[in-house]
Amino acid sequence: MSIRRIESGARMSQAVVANGFVFLAGQVAPDPSAGVEGQTRQILGEIDRLLAAAGSSKAKILSANVFLADIGTFAEMNRAWDAWVAADAKPARATIEAKLVAPDYRVEIQVTALA
């Protein structure tokens, strides 16, 4: 079995492709000054980019974990998510309130997809 690591850094890779799956690290907004909906749109763009680099797409996402700094922003996040997710390819998803790595980050999303 081969393992391909995408955008590896000192501690982690942004994506790992192995055994027909693509595992993405938790993604946060490149510009955290945006609100929850804006951060979510940025993150979904990063997910699209990383999945493409792995030879996959959002239509192949199997599961998603969404972490919100404030669960009260659930509807804001969902506005961006609903506009992005393919109507015929909705993944299994969990949404959790969590303290994120830095106070400016309001959303983090991690997905697993088929390659």
Side-chain angles (χ1 to χ4, degrees):
M1 169 180 62
S2 68
I3 298 173
R4 183 166 59 107
R5 300 175 197 287
I6 299 170
E7 295 183 19
S8 289
R11 292 185 183 89
M12 58 184 261
S13 297
Q14 291 299 317
V16 175
V17 183
N19 204 28
F21 292 94
V22 181
F23 303 91
L24 264 58
Q27 298 299 306
V28 294
D31 176 9
S33 67
V36 169
E37 188 172 351
Q39 285 192 26
T40 303
R41 279 194 305 269
Q42 290 177 53
I43 293 164
L44 297 173
E46 287 296 298
I47 289 170
D48 283 335
R49 182 183 68 75
L50 288 165
L51 288 174
S56 187
S57 71
K58 68 182 175 184
K60 295 182 178 183
I61 295 174
L62 302 173
S63 68
N65 293 309
V66 179
F67 303 93
L68 295 174
D70 177 0
I71 201 70
T73 62
F74 184 72
E76 294 171 63
M77 177 276 299
N78 272 330
R79 278 194 293 274
W81 177 272
D82 292 343
W84 174 81
V85 73
D88 62 345
K90 295 176 182 142
R93 189 184 95 174
T95 304
I96 303 126
E97 182 177 64
K99 186 173 183 176
L100 301 181
V101 70
D104 289 344
Y105 293 125
R106 310 305 300 151
V107 184
E108 183 171 339
I109 302 175
Q110 180 275 327
V111 303
T112 301
L114 289 175

mmCIF file of all heavy atoms in Angstrom, residues 24-25 27 40-53 56-58 61 64 81 84 108-111:
data_model
loop_
_atom_site.group_PDB
_atom_site.id
_atom_site.type_symbol
_atom_site.label_atom_id
_atom_site.label_comp_id
_atom_site.label_asym_id
_atom_site.label_seq_id
_atom_site.Cartn_x
_atom_site.Cartn_y
_atom_site.Cartn_z
ATOM 1 N N LEU A 24 -8.167 14.563 5.183
ATOM 2 C CA LEU A 24 -7.728 15.954 5.306
ATOM 3 C C LEU A 24 -7.551 16.321 6.767
ATOM 4 O O LEU A 24 -8.335 15.889 7.630
ATOM 5 C CB LEU A 24 -8.760 16.908 4.689
ATOM 6 C CG LEU A 24 -8.487 17.348 3.252
ATOM 7 C CD1 LEU A 24 -8.395 16.170 2.319
ATOM 8 C CD2 LEU A 24 -9.510 18.343 2.799
ATOM 9 N N ALA A 25 -6.531 17.110 7.026
ATOM 10 C CA ALA A 25 -6.360 17.699 8.358
ATOM 11 C C ALA A 25 -7.495 18.698 8.564
ATOM 12 O O ALA A 25 -8.123 19.150 7.602
ATOM 13 C CB ALA A 25 -5.014 18.410 8.441
ATOM 14 N N GLN A 27 -9.199 22.010 8.623
ATOM 15 C CA GLN A 27 -8.899 23.216 7.863
ATOM 16 C C GLN A 27 -9.516 24.430 8.547
ATOM 17 O O GLN A 27 -10.657 24.377 9.005
ATOM 18 C CB GLN A 27 -9.452 23.106 6.436
ATOM 19 C CG GLN A 27 -8.850 21.962 5.643
ATOM 20 C CD GLN A 27 -7.353 22.116 5.469
ATOM 21 O OE1 GLN A 27 -6.878 23.140 4.995
ATOM 22 N NE2 GLN A 27 -6.610 21.085 5.861
ATOM 23 N N THR A 40 -16.171 29.941 6.793
ATOM 24 C CA THR A 40 -16.619 28.649 6.265
ATOM 25 C C THR A 40 -16.410 28.590 4.758
ATOM 26 O O THR A 40 -15.911 27.590 4.236
ATOM 27 C CB THR A 40 -18.095 28.391 6.624
ATOM 28 O OG1 THR A 40 -18.251 28.462 8.050
ATOM 29 C CG2 THR A 40 -18.559 27.021 6.130
ATOM 30 N N ARG A 41 -16.764 29.650 4.036
ATOM 31 C CA ARG A 41 -16.551 29.682 2.582
ATOM 32 C C ARG A 41 -15.069 29.499 2.247
ATOM 33 O O ARG A 41 -14.716 28.751 1.325
ATOM 34 C CB ARG A 41 -17.063 30.995 1.985
ATOM 35 C CG ARG A 41 -18.563 31.015 1.762
ATOM 36 C CD ARG A 41 -18.992 32.163 0.871
ATOM 37 N NE ARG A 41 -18.543 33.464 1.346
ATOM 38 C CZ ARG A 41 -19.234 34.258 2.153
ATOM 39 N NH1 ARG A 41 -20.418 33.888 2.589
ATOM 40 N NH2 ARG A 41 -18.743 35.414 2.524
ATOM 41 N N GLN A 42 -14.199 30.172 2.987
ATOM 42 C CA GLN A 42 -12.758 30.028 2.749
ATOM 43 C C GLN A 42 -12.309 28.587 2.981
ATOM 44 O O GLN A 42 -11.531 28.027 2.196
ATOM 45 C CB GLN A 42 -11.971 30.941 3.691
ATOM 46 C CG GLN A 42 -12.095 32.408 3.409
ATOM 47 C CD GLN A 42 -11.325 33.196 4.457
ATOM 48 O OE1 GLN A 42 -10.146 32.937 4.687
ATOM 49 N NE2 GLN A 42 -11.988 34.141 5.099
ATOM 50 N N ILE A 43 -12.769 28.003 4.060
ATOM 51 C CA ILE A 43 -12.388 26.629 4.404
ATOM 52 C C ILE A 43 -12.865 25.660 3.325
ATOM 53 O O ILE A 43 -12.121 24.767 2.908
ATOM 54 C CB ILE A 43 -12.955 26.235 5.784
ATOM 55 C CG1 ILE A 43 -12.279 27.057 6.884
ATOM 56 C CG2 ILE A 43 -12.816 24.733 6.027
ATOM 57 C CD1 ILE A 43 -13.012 27.028 8.214
ATOM 58 N N LEU A 44 -14.092 25.836 2.864
ATOM 59 C CA LEU A 44 -14.618 24.952 1.827
ATOM 60 C C LEU A 44 -13.804 25.082 0.542
ATOM 61 O O LEU A 44 -13.578 24.089 -0.160
ATOM 62 C CB LEU A 44 -16.101 25.232 1.601
ATOM 63 C CG LEU A 44 -16.988 24.956 2.834
ATOM 64 C CD1 LEU A 44 -18.411 25.414 2.576
ATOM 65 C CD2 LEU A 44 -16.925 23.505 3.270
ATOM 66 N N GLY A 45 -13.318 26.272 0.250
ATOM 67 C CA GLY A 45 -12.418 26.465 -0.884
ATOM 68 C C GLY A 45 -11.112 25.716 -0.701
ATOM 69 O O GLY A 45 -10.571 25.132 -1.655
ATOM 70 N N GLU A 46 -10.576 25.738 0.520
ATOM 71 C CA GLU A 46 -9.352 24.984 0.819
ATOM 72 C C GLU A 46 -9.595 23.487 0.690
ATOM 73 O O GLU A 46 -8.746 22.753 0.181
ATOM 74 C CB GLU A 46 -8.846 25.315 2.228
ATOM 75 C CG GLU A 46 -8.235 26.691 2.352
ATOM 76 C CD GLU A 46 -6.986 26.824 1.504
ATOM 77 O OE1 GLU A 46 -6.000 26.090 1.743
ATOM 78 O OE2 GLU A 46 -7.002 27.664 0.577
ATOM 79 N N ILE A 47 -10.751 23.032 1.139
ATOM 80 C CA ILE A 47 -11.094 21.609 1.004
ATOM 81 C C ILE A 47 -11.160 21.235 -0.471
ATOM 82 O O ILE A 47 -10.596 20.212 -0.885
ATOM 83 C CB ILE A 47 -12.405 21.293 1.750
ATOM 84 C CG1 ILE A 47 -12.164 21.364 3.266
ATOM 85 C CG2 ILE A 47 -12.957 19.923 1.340
ATOM 86 C CD1 ILE A 47 -13.425 21.301 4.110
ATOM 87 N N ASP A 48 -11.822 22.055 -1.289
ATOM 88 C CA ASP A 48 -11.867 21.799 -2.734
ATOM 89 C C ASP A 48 -10.459 21.692 -3.308
ATOM 90 O O ASP A 48 -10.151 20.787 -4.084
ATOM 91 C CB ASP A 48 -12.619 22.920 -3.455
ATOM 92 C CG ASP A 48 -14.129 22.835 -3.314
ATOM 93 O OD1 ASP A 48 -14.660 21.724 -3.092
ATOM 94 O OD2 ASP A 48 -14.777 23.889 -3.446
ATOM 95 N N ARG A 49 -9.595 22.631 -2.938
ATOM 96 C CA ARG A 49 -8.225 22.675 -3.457
ATOM 97 C C ARG A 49 -7.436 21.428 -3.056
ATOM 98 O O ARG A 49 -6.769 20.802 -3.891
ATOM 99 C CB ARG A 49 -7.529 23.937 -2.931
ATOM 100 C CG ARG A 49 -6.114 24.134 -3.434
ATOM 101 C CD ARG A 49 -5.472 25.356 -2.803
ATOM 102 N NE ARG A 49 -5.218 25.199 -1.389
ATOM 103 C CZ ARG A 49 -4.233 24.473 -0.859
ATOM 104 N NH1 ARG A 49 -3.382 23.829 -1.642
ATOM 105 N NH2 ARG A 49 -4.067 24.402 0.449
ATOM 106 N N LEU A 50 -7.510 21.049 -1.795
ATOM 107 C CA LEU A 50 -6.757 19.886 -1.317
ATOM 108 C C LEU A 50 -7.294 18.583 -1.901
ATOM 109 O O LEU A 50 -6.519 17.689 -2.259
ATOM 110 C CB LEU A 50 -6.767 19.838 0.212
ATOM 111 C CG LEU A 50 -5.905 20.893 0.885
ATOM 112 C CD1 LEU A 50 -6.245 21.005 2.366
ATOM 113 C CD2 LEU A 50 -4.425 20.588 0.688
ATOM 114 N N LEU A 51 -8.613 18.471 -2.004
ATOM 115 C CA LEU A 51 -9.171 17.267 -2.605
ATOM 116 C C LEU A 51 -8.747 17.144 -4.072
ATOM 117 O O LEU A 51 -8.420 16.050 -4.537
ATOM 118 C CB LEU A 51 -10.695 17.257 -2.483
ATOM 119 C CG LEU A 51 -11.245 17.006 -1.075
ATOM 120 C CD1 LEU A 51 -12.757 17.169 -1.058
ATOM 121 C CD2 LEU A 51 -10.845 15.639 -0.551
ATOM 122 N N ALA A 52 -8.737 18.255 -4.794
ATOM 123 C CA ALA A 52 -8.280 18.228 -6.187
ATOM 124 C C ALA A 52 -6.820 17.786 -6.264
ATOM 125 O O ALA A 52 -6.451 16.974 -7.130
ATOM 126 C CB ALA A 52 -8.468 19.596 -6.830
ATOM 127 N N ALA A 53 -5.993 18.284 -5.357
ATOM 128 C CA ALA A 53 -4.575 17.886 -5.332
ATOM 129 C C ALA A 53 -4.425 16.395 -5.063
ATOM 130 O O ALA A 53 -3.453 15.772 -5.489
ATOM 131 C CB ALA A 53 -3.822 18.703 -4.282
ATOM 132 N N SER A 56 -9.356 13.945 -5.939
ATOM 133 C CA SER A 56 -10.715 13.706 -5.473
ATOM 134 C C SER A 56 -11.542 14.978 -5.644
ATOM 135 O O SER A 56 -11.110 15.936 -6.279
ATOM 136 C CB SER A 56 -10.689 13.257 -3.999
ATOM 137 O OG SER A 56 -11.977 12.861 -3.576
ATOM 138 N N SER A 57 -12.740 14.980 -5.065
ATOM 139 C CA SER A 57 -13.618 16.149 -5.124
ATOM 140 C C SER A 57 -14.633 16.089 -3.998
ATOM 141 O O SER A 57 -14.788 15.055 -3.342
ATOM 142 C CB SER A 57 -14.364 16.203 -6.459
ATOM 143 O OG SER A 57 -15.349 15.180 -6.507
ATOM 144 N N LYS A 58 -15.372 17.187 -3.816
ATOM 145 C CA LYS A 58 -16.375 17.227 -2.750
ATOM 146 C C LYS A 58 -17.468 16.181 -2.953
ATOM 147 O O LYS A 58 -18.088 15.741 -1.986
ATOM 148 C CB LYS A 58 -16.970 18.620 -2.610
ATOM 149 C CG LYS A 58 -17.808 19.078 -3.762
ATOM 150 C CD LYS A 58 -18.304 20.492 -3.522
ATOM 151 C CE LYS A 58 -19.046 21.042 -4.722
ATOM 152 N NZ LYS A 58 -19.426 22.434 -4.498
ATOM 153 N N ILE A 61 -16.756 13.104 -0.779
ATOM 154 C CA ILE A 61 -16.595 13.196 0.673
ATOM 155 C C ILE A 61 -17.537 12.204 1.351
ATOM 156 O O ILE A 61 -18.731 12.164 1.065
ATOM 157 C CB ILE A 61 -16.865 14.627 1.182
ATOM 158 C CG1 ILE A 61 -15.815 15.591 0.628
ATOM 159 C CG2 ILE A 61 -16.865 14.667 2.719
ATOM 160 C CD1 ILE A 61 -16.087 17.052 0.959
ATOM 161 N N ALA A 64 -17.700 14.403 7.385
ATOM 162 C CA ALA A 64 -17.162 15.722 7.737
ATOM 163 C C ALA A 64 -17.393 15.968 9.214
ATOM 164 O O ALA A 64 -18.440 15.608 9.759
ATOM 165 C CB ALA A 64 -17.840 16.815 6.914
ATOM 166 N N TRP A 81 -22.193 26.202 3.971
ATOM 167 C CA TRP A 81 -22.162 24.757 3.713
ATOM 168 C C TRP A 81 -23.242 24.362 2.711
ATOM 169 O O TRP A 81 -22.982 23.662 1.738
ATOM 170 C CB TRP A 81 -22.346 23.989 5.021
ATOM 171 C CG TRP A 81 -22.404 22.507 4.839
ATOM 172 C CD1 TRP A 81 -23.524 21.756 4.580
ATOM 173 C CD2 TRP A 81 -21.315 21.579 4.874
ATOM 174 N NE1 TRP A 81 -23.200 20.427 4.456
ATOM 175 C CE2 TRP A 81 -21.851 20.299 4.637
ATOM 176 C CE3 TRP A 81 -19.957 21.716 5.100
ATOM 177 C CZ2 TRP A 81 -21.065 19.151 4.611
ATOM 178 C CZ3 TRP A 81 -19.164 20.571 5.083
ATOM 179 C CH2 TRP A 81 -19.716 19.312 4.846
ATOM 180 N N TRP A 84 -22.577 25.103 -0.818
ATOM 181 C CA TRP A 84 -21.409 24.396 -1.351
ATOM 182 C C TRP A 84 -21.639 22.908 -1.562
ATOM 183 O O TRP A 84 -21.217 22.339 -2.573
ATOM 184 C CB TRP A 84 -20.236 24.609 -0.404
ATOM 185 C CG TRP A 84 -18.990 23.847 -0.703
ATOM 186 C CD1 TRP A 84 -18.031 24.159 -1.623
ATOM 187 C CD2 TRP A 84 -18.535 22.644 -0.058
ATOM 188 N NE1 TRP A 84 -17.014 23.225 -1.599
ATOM 189 C CE2 TRP A 84 -17.309 22.289 -0.638
ATOM 190 C CE3 TRP A 84 -19.065 21.845 0.959
ATOM 191 C CZ2 TRP A 84 -16.590 21.167 -0.244
ATOM 192 C CZ3 TRP A 84 -18.356 20.724 1.352
ATOM 193 C CH2 TRP A 84 -17.128 20.391 0.752
ATOM 194 N N GLU A 108 -13.584 25.207 12.081
ATOM 195 C CA GLU A 108 -12.592 24.273 11.558
ATOM 196 C C GLU A 108 -13.363 23.093 10.991
ATOM 197 O O GLU A 108 -14.335 22.637 11.606
ATOM 198 C CB GLU A 108 -11.642 23.805 12.660
ATOM 199 C CG GLU A 108 -10.553 22.882 12.163
ATOM 200 C CD GLU A 108 -9.490 22.582 13.215
ATOM 201 O OE1 GLU A 108 -9.350 23.358 14.174
ATOM 202 O OE2 GLU A 108 -8.793 21.563 13.060
ATOM 203 N N ILE A 109 -12.955 22.607 9.818
ATOM 204 C CA ILE A 109 -13.641 21.489 9.183
ATOM 205 C C ILE A 109 -12.619 20.443 8.762
ATOM 206 O O ILE A 109 -11.599 20.775 8.150
ATOM 207 C CB ILE A 109 -14.472 21.940 7.959
ATOM 208 C CG1 ILE A 109 -15.499 23.007 8.372
ATOM 209 C CG2 ILE A 109 -15.176 20.731 7.325
ATOM 210 C CD1 ILE A 109 -16.287 23.606 7.215
ATOM 211 N N GLN A 110 -12.919 19.197 9.059
ATOM 212 C CA GLN A 110 -12.075 18.052 8.700
ATOM 213 C C GLN A 110 -12.936 17.096 7.904
ATOM 214 O O GLN A 110 -14.081 16.820 8.294
ATOM 215 C CB GLN A 110 -11.523 17.397 9.968
ATOM 216 C CG GLN A 110 -10.634 16.204 9.730
ATOM 217 C CD GLN A 110 -11.389 14.906 9.555
ATOM 218 O OE1 GLN A 110 -12.433 14.691 10.142
ATOM 219 N NE2 GLN A 110 -10.850 14.034 8.735
ATOM 220 N N VAL A 111 -12.425 16.576 6.783
ATOM 221 C CA VAL A 111 -13.190 15.629 5.975
ATOM 222 C C VAL A 111 -12.366 14.416 5.603
ATOM 223 O O VAL A 111 -11.130 14.451 5.591
ATOM 224 C CB VAL A 111 -13.750 16.270 4.681
ATOM 225 C CG1 VAL A 111 -14.622 17.475 4.990
ATOM 226 C CG2 VAL A 111 -12.662 16.630 3.701
#
